[in-house]
Amino acid sequence: MQYGVRAVRDRTDAELIQECLDGHSEAWDFLVHRYSRLIYSIPFKWGLQREDAKEIYQSVWLDCFQELHSLRDINRLQAWLVRIAIRKCYRFSTNKRSRPEDVEIVETDHASEDPSEGLIARLDREQLIRMSIAKLTERCQQVIKALFFEDPFPGYATIAARLGLSSNSIGFTRDRCLERLGKLLEELGYEH
Amino acid sequence: MESRIDHIALVSLFERARLNTELDGSAQAHLNSCHLCRGRLDWMQVSAGLGVRELSYDPPQPVMEAVLRLGRDSSRLKQLRNAVVALVTFDSFKQLAPAGIRSTEASSRQMTFETHGVEIGVLMRLSEDRKLSLAGQVLDKLSGPIQDPAARVDLVIEGDHIMTSSLSPWGEFVFSDVPKAQYGLQVYVLDRMLQIPSLPSIDEQRSPG
C-alpha cells in the first residue's frame, strides 16, 4: 500500500510507529508533531528554562526513536512520552541543584507518582484539546485559536474579518466550532 | 432527561472560562446540577488555561529539525529493525567463574550475555557509597573486537536512556558512579541493536554453591 492513502492524522500511534520502522519518515514527522507541544511544555511546567527545555525535548524524542521497536506494542505512547519527559526534568533539576544523591532514592518512583498536584492529569487533558483542535476544519481551528490562545482577546469583529465573515454570522460560526470541539473531546474520552 | 435547550449557551460558558464574566443566577444554579455543562466549562477552562502560552510551546525550528532528521536516518532505523535480545550465558552469582577470574567480592557481579555470535561481558561493582559502576566488553565470538567506530552502548531505565558510552577499539565500555537502579543495556553495533532489557540486581541473593 502506498504511504498516505489514508489520512495520516487518523492513524493510531501504533500504526505510525510501525510505519516509522518500515522507513516512512512522514510517519515519524507526524508522530513528532502530534506530541511536540506536549513534550516541549513539560520542562516549562516543571519550572525549567528554555535551554533546558530544548535539551530535554530532543532527548525524549531520541529515546522514543531508539525505543520504537519496543513501543510497537504499547497502548499509550503519550503516557510513555510524558513519563520519560518528567523523569528527565526531574533528573535535570536535581543535577542542577548538585544533589545527585537524591536520584537514587526517588528517581524510579517519581514518575509513577503525581509529581505536582495533578500535572499528569492536566497534561492529558491539554493534549486531548490539542488533538481535538487538530481534527477541526481549518476555519474552526482559526476560530478556536483566536478564542482561547490569543492575548489580548481579538474580539469577534476581528475574528469575523479574518475569516471573511460578517459580524452577524460570527456568533453562529463560533458556536458551531465550540460544539464540534466539545464533541471531538467527548469522542476522545475527555473527562473532567 | 434534560433537553438540550436547558443547557447553558456555549458562548456564556466560553465567556465565563476565557473572559471571566459571571454567569447569571439561574445559569449558575443550572451549572451546579448539570454534569454536561460542568464538563463543557471544564474543557473551556483548560483551553483558556493553555492560553497564549500554547503558542510558545513550539520548539525552535533547528531543534524540531534535529528531531525530525532522526526519522530519515536509515542506518539507525535498520539497527532498530534488527533489534535482538541477548541472553545470559554466565552469571557469577549462579555459577563459578573459571579459575583465575573467580572473585569472592560480594559487591561485584560478573555476567556474560550472547546473541547472534556477539558476546557482551558485564561487570557490576557497588562502591561503599552505594554507587554502581558498570564496565563491559562487546566482542564478536569469532573475531574479537568489532570494527565499528560508531558503536556505542546506552544505559537505560524503563526506556529512559540516561547515559551513553562509546566502545573503545577493544570493545570496552564503562558507566561510572551511577545511582543503584534496575538498568538495561542497548548495544548499537554495525547494523544491529543488541538489548539486555534488565540487568539483574547486584543485591540479589547468590545461589548456594
Side-chain angles (χ1 to χ4, degrees):
Chain A
M1 188 177 81
Q2 197 176 357
Y3 189 82
V5 169
R6 187 157 59 89
V8 72
R9 72 177 185 185
D10 293 332
R11 287 184 169 90
T12 64
D13 292 342
E15 286 172 325
L16 288 171
I17 288 169
Q18 186 55 55
E19 287 167 2
C20 290
L21 289 167
D22 291 342
H24 295 296
S25 59
E26 303 93 332
W28 174 251
D29 289 3
F30 196 81
L31 206 57
V32 171
H33 281 107
R34 182 176 278 177
Y35 295 112
S36 184
R37 283 184 175 168
L38 169 71
I39 301 308
Y40 195 59
S41 74
I42 293 172
F44 293 107
K45 291 177 195 294
W46 198 268
L48 294 169
Q49 300 299 309
R50 187 177 161 87
E51 286 306 308
D52 303 335
K54 284 162 33 179
E55 197 167 322
I56 288 166
Y57 177 85
Q58 291 189 83
S59 179
V60 169
W61 284 113
L62 182 59
D63 284 7
C64 177
F65 183 78
Q66 292 176 139
E67 293 292 328
L68 281 175
H69 62 285
S70 59
L71 291 171
R72 275 178 294 199
D73 305 322
I74 199 167
N75 282 331
R76 291 197 68 222
L77 176 65
Q78 181 183 320
W80 187 91
L81 289 167
V82 167
R83 182 168 59 82
I84 297 294
I86 287 176
R87 291 175 76 122
K88 288 182 189 298
C89 287
Y90 181 76
R91 202 163 51 243
F92 225 88
S93 49
T94 305
N95 288 344
K96 287 210 155 185
R97 291 199 305 268
S98 301
R99 290 165 51 203
E101 67 274 14
D102 286 358
V103 178
E104 179 179 343
I105 301 161
V106 207
E107 188 189 30
T108 307
D109 297 329
H110 187 82
S112 61
E113 295 170 0
D114 194 347
S116 65
E117 297 180 13
L119 173 62
I120 291 173
R122 185 152 60 92
L123 290 168
D124 278 349
R125 288 190 291 175
E126 289 176 353
Q127 181 61 14
L128 281 176
I129 287 167
R130 287 188 190 103
M131 290 170 76
S132 299
I133 291 173
K135 285 174 181 278
L136 291 170
T137 61
E138 188 61 37
R139 172 169 286 211
C140 270
Q141 287 190 34
Q142 280 187 54
V143 172
I144 293 297
K145 286 174 185 172
L147 290 177
F148 289 106
F149 302 151
E150 283 190 41
D151 191 22
F153 178 61
Y156 294 121
T158 304
I159 299 172
R162 284 180 198 166
L163 298 173
L165 297 172
S166 71
S167 297
N168 292 337
S169 61
I170 185 63
F172 172 74
T173 303
R174 174 202 59 209
D175 287 358
R176 196 162 45 83
C177 295
L178 288 170
E179 179 100 38
R180 182 74 192 125
L181 181 55
K183 283 199 173 126
L184 285 166
L185 283 164
E186 202 177 307
E187 284 168 24
L188 288 178
Y190 185 96
E191 288 176 6
H192 66 99
Chain B
M1 198 172 89
E2 293 164 294
S3 67
R4 205 184 166 297
I5 203 157
D6 291 331
H7 296 306
I8 302 171
L10 287 168
V11 64
S12 303
L13 291 172
F14 162 70
E15 286 173 352
R16 165 89 166 76
R18 172 68 167 90
L19 309 174
N20 290 322
T21 56
E22 294 295 321
L23 292 171
D24 66 37
S26 60
Q28 186 59 50
H30 174 84
L31 184 67
N32 294 339
S33 63
C34 178
H35 186 75
L36 178 75
C37 288
R38 281 204 307 278
R40 286 172 168 171
L41 180 61
D42 181 82
W43 69 253
M44 288 191 198
Q45 284 174 327
V46 173
S47 302
L50 272 171
V52 70
R53 285 174 296 124
E54 176 65 2
L55 302 178
S56 70
Y57 290 149
D58 283 325
Q61 198 60 28
V63 173
M64 174 65 100
E65 280 167 9
V67 168
L68 294 180
R69 269 198 300 276
L70 289 170
R72 290 160 183 73
D73 190 334
S74 53
S75 59
R76 281 195 174 198
L77 278 169
K78 191 171 183 187
Q79 284 181 323
L80 298 179
R81 280 197 292 271
N82 294 338
V84 283
V85 173
L87 301 173
V88 65
T89 55
F90 169 76
D91 181 347
S92 62
F93 274 23
K94 309 277 186 206
Q95 58 206 95
L96 292 174
I101 62 167
R102 193 171 298 163
S103 168
T104 53
E105 237 181 306
S107 58
S108 70
R109 185 170 191 172
Q110 188 180 349
M111 283 163 291
T112 306
F113 298 83
E114 284 184 30
T115 186
H116 288 62
V118 175
E119 194 174 79
I120 307 165
V122 180
L123 176 64
M124 296 195 293
R125 285 181 192 276
L126 196 59
S127 65
E128 283 179 6
D129 61 355
R130 307 291 289 167
K131 287 287 169 68
L132 194 65
S133 287
L134 278 144
Q137 193 172 28
V138 181
L139 295 171
D140 184 291
K141 282 187 80 175
L142 297 176
S143 56
I146 300 167
Q147 300 308 309
D148 177 7
R152 68 177 210 279
V153 182
D154 280 10
L155 189 65
V156 183
I157 305 177
E158 296 170 9
D160 185 5
H161 293 234
I162 63 163
M163 290 177 93
T164 293
S165 169
S166 55
L167 286 186
S168 76
W170 298 275
E172 299 155 322
F173 63 89
V174 64
F175 299 105
S176 301
D177 289 339
V178 294
K180 195 166 75 64
Q182 194 79 45
Y183 291 108
L185 292 176
Q186 291 188 4
V187 180
Y188 297 84
V189 60
L190 299 176
D191 63 349
R192 280 170 289 177
M193 193 270 275
L194 318 173
Q195 191 176 22
I196 301 171
S198 182
L199 286 167
S201 165
I202 197 165
D203 286 344
E204 194 179 288
Q205 201 69 30
R206 282 169 181 268
S207 295

